[in-house]
């Protein structure tokens, strides 16, 4: 019996040592990765101090050319969007950026499922877990899933979804995206399914709307010009899916640059990579239009 207990104790001690050493190794790799999404991701959480910050999911990542905004606004700009992630992850990015330097302008490209409706909220914790020691990140994780913070006692668990990506970005020749911007080449060579309103009658995610409101109130408190934007979607004819967010913005007098159904874009297939995403030509055209509207708002 004594030998059995000693074996169990030895196993757990060994596991703890392995877990801690793995965590230290991944912290080092994460901080020193040479390129790719991992480098851009690390910079957003640890280094970005731009005057203008772009937030949102893939429609932010691919639609906002920071160089166009910089040239017109005469302010530094960084695209901090990330594919597939919504308000919980973006609020974490925003909080850590503000802990270093308060940006002058935050442009948040809203996407209905990520900012309004209930999907897989745990997905939004992707990339936040390794920063769980920060109090703002800890609170976000607790709000989304209290059990996650118990799991995050494990240093290995903090990286369990990122290990392969970090290793790939370290040893591949893939370069870091320019100021976080990832333009899409090519255009649609097929006929997509007809547009339809997706969330009519669906219940909103109250926690997501609470975080939308939390972002608004935080920006007001810090003196940040917060601007929500809804970029074009191919053949869109209604922005009904976005009404809950639009009502929230109206309540707090937050400007919304709504181009979801903009006829300058939505009927031109040559401007889109797929129905949800503008290609590089469309992104340049859209960025030029957005920056003029931002200048009008600031004046």
């Amino acid at each position: 019996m004594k030998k059995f207990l000693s074996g169990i104790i030895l196993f757990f001690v060994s596991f703890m040592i392995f877990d801690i050493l793995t965590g230290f190794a991944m912290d080092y790799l994460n901080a020193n990765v040479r390129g790719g999404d991992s480098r851009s991701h690390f910079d957003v959480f640890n280094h970005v101090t731009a005057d203008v910050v772009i937030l949102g999911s893939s429609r932010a990542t691919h639609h906002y050319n920071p160089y166009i905004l910089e040239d017109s606004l005469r302010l530094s700009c960084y695209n901090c969007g990330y594919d597939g992630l919504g308000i919980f992850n973006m609020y974490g990015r925003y909080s850590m950026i503000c802990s270093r330097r308060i940006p002058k302008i935050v442009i948040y490209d809203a996407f209905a499922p990520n900012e309004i409706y209930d999907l897989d909220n745990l997905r939004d914790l992707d990339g936040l877990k390794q920063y769980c020691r920060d109090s703002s990140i800890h609170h976000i994780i607790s709000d989304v899933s209290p059990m996650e913070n118990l799991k995050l006692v494990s240093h290995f668990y903090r990286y369990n979804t990122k290990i392969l990506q970090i290793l790939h970005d370290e040893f591949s020749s893939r370069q870091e995206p320019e100021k976080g911007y990832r333009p899409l080449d090519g255009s649609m060579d097929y006929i997509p399914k007809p547009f339809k309103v997706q969330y009519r009658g669906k219940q909103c995610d109250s926690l997501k709307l609470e975080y939308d409101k939390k972002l608004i109130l935080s920006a007001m408190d810090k003196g940040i010009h917060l601007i929500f934007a809804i970029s074009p979607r191919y053949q869109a004819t209604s922005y009904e899916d976005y009404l809950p967010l639009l009502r929230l913005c109206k309540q707090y007098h937050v400007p919304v640059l709504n181009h979801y159904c903009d006829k300058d874009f939505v009927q031109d297939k040559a401007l889109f990579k797929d129905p949800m995403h503008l290609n590089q030509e469309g992104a340049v055209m859209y960025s030029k239009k957005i920056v003029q509207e931002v200048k009008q708002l600031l004046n």
Side-chain angles (χ1 to χ4, degrees), residues 92 95-96 99 130-140:
S95 296
M96 291 193 71
S99 70
Q130 55 263 49
Y131 303 106
C132 62
R133 286 167 288 195
D134 182 272
S135 60
S136 62
I137 303 299
H138 178 86
H139 287 309
I140 295 168

Side-chain angles (χ1 to χ4, degrees), residues 225-248:
H225 292 285
L226 174 63
I227 301 167
F228 276 95
I230 308 174
S231 49
R233 186 216 191 276
Y234 184 64
Q235 291 188 334
T237 56
S238 169
Y239 51 83
E240 181 181 332
D241 288 337
Y242 291 87
L243 289 178
L245 180 61
L246 294 176
R247 286 193 289 266
L248 183 66

Side-chain angles (χ1 to χ4, degrees), residues 96-108:
M96 291 193 71
I97 290 169
C98 288
S99 70
R100 294 186 297 274
R101 181 172 182 265
I102 306 297
K104 292 180 171 66
I105 303 168
V106 170
I107 301 173
Y108 195 121

